[in-house]
Amino acid sequence: MPGSADGLWGFVDIQGRMVIEPVYGSVMAFSKGLAAAQKDGKWGFIDLQGRWRFEPRYDDVTSFDAQGLAWAVERGRLQRLSATGQALPWLSEAGSFDLDHRGMQEDRAIRVRVTPPSETWRLDTGEVVQWPREVVELGRPVGGTWPVRVRLPSGRNWWGLWSLQEGRWLASPLALRSELEPLLHAGKVAVHRAGGWFFVDLAGQPLSSTRYQAIEMDRPGLWVVSPEHSEWVWLGPDLRELHRTQGHVTSPRQERWGDAWVYDLHEALLIVLPDDRIEVLDTSEHDEHLQKGWIWLSPKRDGGAPDLIGPDGRSVLSADERERLKHHRIEFLWEGDRSPAVPGAIRALLHPHDDTAEPGVVTADLRVLTRAEWALLMPGQLPSDPVVVQRTDGRFGAIDGMGRWLISPEWLGMEAFHHGLTWGRHPDHDGGSRSVLIGSDGRRLALPPGALTACGGWSGPWLRCQNSEGDAAGTTFIAPLAAKRVNAPEVDELREARGDWLFARQGEQWGVLGPDGGWRVPPLTDSPEAIEWLDDHVVRVSVHAQGQLTHQLWRVADGRALTPPRRGQSWRLAADRYLVAGELAGMELLDASGRLVLRTPWWGTDPHAEDGLAWTSPGQQLARLLPDGTLAPVPVHSPNGGEPMTEADDEAADARAVQGWQLRLSARCGQLIVRGPSGQQTWPKQSVRCRQP
């Protein structure tokens, strides 16, 4: 009954006689005297009399090839079958498989979709780490102990804890019986069994009878558990209760705060300090601003008093300081999203709301400092730049992170510092003033000799000057600290990038200039946002060209390309270790010099590195299964240069296989004409006589 949902399959001979009764859910054609048949959702093979030669226990199968071999998948493992009725061992180890039923390729290979096993390697040498057999998945390591999920002979997938250093199970999967990734600290293991979480020891014995809906561990020994719906409890390393709250369907949003953790309880902040001490801050009347090592509590209503919480979770302000801050607008400096904190830098500026308040700062040691003589405060371009202060008498100076005068207030005018430099106007002997270049230490700097008639704006660390030497006119750049000109190329636009590096546009393309004016990344891409710093040494450049997106790594110190342009993604794993897409398939691990440390044929996503090891999360990939049992990954990248091809990309892959070909049907003569890289072909090949249309 073809096409019927409840129809079953059987076989007839060429005279139409039923020779094998229709009792199968699905079948394949006979080959080598055997046909694949499906019974109760499982595949096996029957002979010409309908007898089972291979019992129906396989999840997927292929027909037998001309050599009398077929492939079968059982519990995710691939087996090779012989038409004589034998199951042959496969030569390689890999993960789970889905077979492709579109027939053999020319080299007798078949296409499969394979999920490779998790692979881990050492970052220093690229040596692949050996894991127990039947590994299905790796978790996040804790102090050299790795959660590992394995497939047991029973078909169950349970997690255990593997000691990489000792090369043995610290807690075996049979002992833990955990269905989800276990969590470990100090011999206490959180495991998931039968829909609930429990605490057990390394032998799998319960440590308590309490069952939890969820268990999380935000730092070693800090457990966040949910015994009941909307209830959350914080436990210490010894499983002692630290705090309990209700009203949260999911675990409270958390954020790392130095060595502590801060949890948002809606109208309160819960701070868990490194010694497991708990501080609860009432935020019903405040908005919180988490900074590195401190928390600002800003009042939600006019007239409220702000507060400043220090690293111990307690206020660092006196009652008098909180009262004084009521009359100020607080400008946070160099923390959060703007820039990393610099030791010794001023934390915030205090701008008065009214005439009763004095301008001030929050110093590097978290003191509130105000001065009646201060009128205007100007932060610099970088966290390390001093803050320029204008006094009420109109004179300018600059202060350090403790609020002390770094540059005495004797200047008639002063701009905000820019990369450790600023312009100041100093009284002249004739009653006028002159512009002087000043360093962050207060030194007066001389401009380099030459015909530089006027110096104005900044381009990163460079000073832009007008050049009128001889008949020449135009713009030149100088490096004031080095007191010399910069030999920069002609560019159309400059933007600050990172440190002393500059984005530079030449025509429509952007690159990176070094502090000496030389190209560190030549103009390659149409946007500075396409140049991404992976660390202080290496950038990733994304380029769209001819409908393809490619990535390339460049070392900015010497302007050398570490990789050719490649489709696929790239990541920084650790110091001087970068994971990039392979030239055809797979992935490569490179060091900062571009030296190949490791090459793996398989793709991976979401890469991680910890304790000197790196690993990825492999996804299902296309491969060719060769007759000798080896796998050859299909070397095709996805169109957007991102993840490797999956089943959703399959049709697009087939289309790209004939990219560059043109096909048309002649309306005049019914000929099929194909033009491609190798020329033109026509079907039928002989000349066709046809009538005029």
Side-chain angles (χ1 to χ4, degrees):
M1 298 174 61
S4 173
D6 56 356
L8 296 175
W9 288 89
F11 290 85
V12 297
D13 61 16
I14 58 175
Q15 283 79 35
R17 294 174 301 206
M18 183 71 67
V19 293
I20 298 178
E21 292 297 321
V23 294
Y24 307 106
S26 184
V27 294
M28 299 181 192
F30 271 92
S31 176
K32 295 296 180 180
L34 297 177
Q38 191 184 57
K39 186 80 168 178
D40 298 327
K42 294 292 184 178
W43 287 92
F45 288 90
I46 59 175
D47 60 18
L48 293 168
Q49 287 73 43
R51 296 172 301 202
W52 289 108
R53 293 289 295 276
F54 289 91
E55 293 294 326
R57 64 174 184 269
Y58 302 108
D59 301 312
D60 203 358
V61 294
T62 68
S63 295
F64 283 91
D65 62 16
Q67 283 68 40
L69 297 176
W71 296 94
V73 178
E74 183 179 13
R75 293 175 181 168
R77 303 297 294 171
L78 193 65
Q79 297 183 22
R80 190 166 48 167
L81 307 179
S82 167
T84 60
Q86 298 173 305
L88 306 175
W90 187 37
L91 303 180
S92 314
E93 292 289 336
S96 57
F97 294 88
D98 289 322
L99 298 176
D100 193 320
H101 295 271
R102 288 180 291 185
M104 297 286 174
Q105 299 179 4
E106 291 183 1
D107 55 1
R108 293 176 44 233
I110 63 171
R111 296 225 301 182
V112 297
R113 296 192 180 280
V114 57
T115 302
S118 298
E119 189 175 70
T120 309
W121 57 88
R122 302 187 186 277
L123 281 170
D124 53 351
T125 63
E127 177 188 0
V128 176
V129 176
Q130 298 300 315
W131 295 103
R133 290 176 57 86
E134 309 296 337
V135 167
V136 176
E137 185 180 354
L138 299 176
R140 294 296 299 266
V142 178
T145 300
W146 289 66
V148 177
R149 184 165 68 98
V150 299
R151 181 181 292 105
L152 301 174
S154 63
R156 295 181 179 272
N157 291 316
W158 280 345
W159 288 84
L161 294 170
W162 180 263
S163 172
L164 191 61
Q165 182 177 6
E166 300 177 21
R168 65 175 183 86
W169 288 111
L170 185 65
S172 74
L174 290 174
L176 297 185
R177 306 193 307 281
S178 184
E179 300 156 341
L180 300 178
E181 180 179 342
L183 306 173
L184 167 70
H185 178 72
K188 299 174 178 63
V189 189
V191 298
H192 188 273
R193 301 173 184 168
W197 285 90
F198 306 86
F199 283 106
V200 301
D201 60 19
L202 293 174
Q205 298 302 310
L207 295 175
S208 73
S209 59
T210 307
R211 174 191 176 108
Y212 300 98
Q213 293 186 358
I215 295 181
E216 301 173 1
M217 187 169 62
D218 289 331
R219 74 162 186 244
L222 176 59
W223 304 94
V224 186
V225 303
S226 176
E228 298 179 2
H229 182 67
S230 301
E231 183 179 34
W232 292 88
V233 181
W234 282 259
L235 306 177
D238 56 357
L239 305 185
R240 177 178 56 88
E241 182 175 324
L242 304 177
H243 186 78
R244 182 182 293 262
T245 187
Q246 291 184 336
H248 298 268
V249 177
T250 59
S251 60
R253 181 175 58 87
Q254 78 274 18
E255 187 173 342
R256 187 161 190 165
W257 185 55
D259 293 329
W261 282 87
V262 177
Y263 297 85
D264 183 3
L265 304 183
H266 296 326
E267 292 193 344
L269 290 182
L270 175 70
I271 304 177
V272 184
L273 296 159
D275 59 358
D276 294 326
R277 185 166 52 87
I278 297 290
E279 294 287 341
V280 180
L281 304 178
D282 182 3
T283 57
S284 58
E285 301 294 329
H286 293 83
D287 292 320
E288 66 272 11
H289 305 274
L290 266 68
Q291 308 291 327
K292 188 175 182 180
W294 49 305
I295 301 174
W296 273 109
L297 299 179
S298 302
K300 294 179 180 178
R301 300 176 180 85
D302 294 339
D307 205 351
L308 179 61
I309 308 302
D312 63 352
R314 297 169 180 169
S315 175
V316 301
L317 302 179
S318 65
D320 176 66
E321 287 176 318
R322 286 194 292 272
E323 185 65 27
R324 287 159 56 197
L325 285 177
K326 282 185 179 181
H327 306 282
H328 291 86
R329 176 179 63 85
I330 302 172
E331 180 185 355
F332 307 112
L333 298 182
W334 321 127
E335 305 249 13
D337 295 335
R338 297 184 64 184
S339 177
V342 170
I346 284 178
R347 303 299 187 97
L349 304 184
L350 307 176
H351 303 289
H353 279 312
D354 51 53
D355 295 338
T356 63
E358 302 170 349
V361 297
V362 178
T363 62
D365 58 353
L366 301 179
R367 290 183 300 109
V368 175
L369 180 64
T370 60
R371 291 285 185 268
E373 62 176 337
W374 291 352
L376 178 67
L377 302 170
M378 292 187 293
Q381 184 77 11
L382 299 177
S384 55
D385 287 333
V387 171
V388 172
V389 177
Q390 183 185 20
R391 294 195 312 186
T392 53
D393 62 3
R395 293 297 177 114
F396 288 78
I399 59 175
D400 63 13
M402 304 302 292
R404 299 170 298 208
W405 288 110
L406 183 66
I407 300 175
S408 60
E410 61 186 49
W411 297 82
L412 299 178
M414 188 177 293
E415 298 177 6
F417 270 84
H418 190 100
H419 288 263
L421 299 165
T422 190
W423 286 102
R425 286 190 297 109
H426 198 270
D428 214 342
H429 63 277
D430 58 1
S433 65
R434 56 190 174 88
S435 294
V436 178
L437 199 59
I438 311 170
S440 58
D441 56 359
R443 287 186 302 125
R444 304 182 186 189
L445 304 175
L447 295 175
L452 299 173
T453 59
C455 295
W458 298 91
S459 295
W462 302 344
L463 186 60
R464 189 183 302 112
C465 301
Q466 290 300 117
N467 178 16
S468 61
E469 189 173 14
D471 295 331
T475 301
T476 189
F477 298 99
I478 66 169
L481 293 176
K484 64 180 182 180
R485 300 191 187 207
V486 177
N487 296 319
E490 290 290 333
V491 296
D492 299 297
E493 186 179 352
L494 288 171
R495 294 188 193 177
E496 289 198 36
R498 181 169 176 154
D500 290 340
W501 312 99
L502 290 169
F503 292 128
R505 179 172 63 84
Q506 199 173 62
E508 299 298 323
Q509 302 296 308
W510 288 85
V512 177
L513 290 177
D516 60 351
W519 287 110
R520 293 298 185 267
V521 177
L524 292 173
T525 187
D526 56 5
S527 170
E529 285 75 23
I531 304 175
E532 181 183 356
W533 255 261
L534 298 184
D535 52 29
D536 291 335
H537 313 289
V538 175
V539 297
R540 177 175 56 214
V541 182
S542 304
V543 177
H544 283 276
Q546 298 177 346
Q548 293 285 349
L549 175 64
T550 61
H551 299 271
Q552 191 173 12
L553 298 187
W554 285 79
R555 192 170 63 189
V556 293
D558 56 7
R560 188 165 69 88
L562 298 184
T563 65
R566 294 177 177 177
R567 288 171 290 175
Q569 190 54 278
S570 54
W571 300 268
R572 176 189 181 273
L573 284 181
D576 297 335
R577 288 296 184 270
Y578 308 93
L579 191 65
V580 301
E583 293 186 66
L584 295 176
M587 311 185 82
E588 296 175 354
L589 182 67
L590 307 177
D591 64 13
S593 67
R595 180 180 65 89
L596 181 66
V597 179
L598 167 82
R599 179 181 288 119
T600 173
W602 300 109
W603 279 91
T605 59
D606 192 27
H608 297 282
E610 195 167 325
D611 292 340
L613 300 177
W615 70 100
T616 62
S617 302
Q620 198 175 63
Q621 303 171 40
L622 283 174
R624 294 165 61 249
L625 183 58
L626 303 177
D628 63 358
T630 58
L631 278 175
V634 175
V636 180
H637 299 284
S638 60
N640 62 3
E643 304 302 333
M645 289 179 53
T646 61
E647 187 168 0
D649 302 310
D650 206 8
E651 290 186 10
D654 292 337
R656 285 194 300 277
V658 294
Q659 191 171 11
W661 293 79
Q662 294 180 346
L663 179 148
R664 68 184 179 90
L665 183 65
S666 170
R668 178 174 177 179
C669 300
Q671 282 185 309
L672 188 64
I673 302 172
V674 179
R675 294 189 180 94
S678 59
Q680 175 175 310
Q681 298 185 45
T682 306
W683 286 271
K685 293 185 179 298
Q686 64 273 19
S687 60
V688 177
R689 294 184 179 182
C690 60
R691 293 177 297 176
Q692 294 293 325

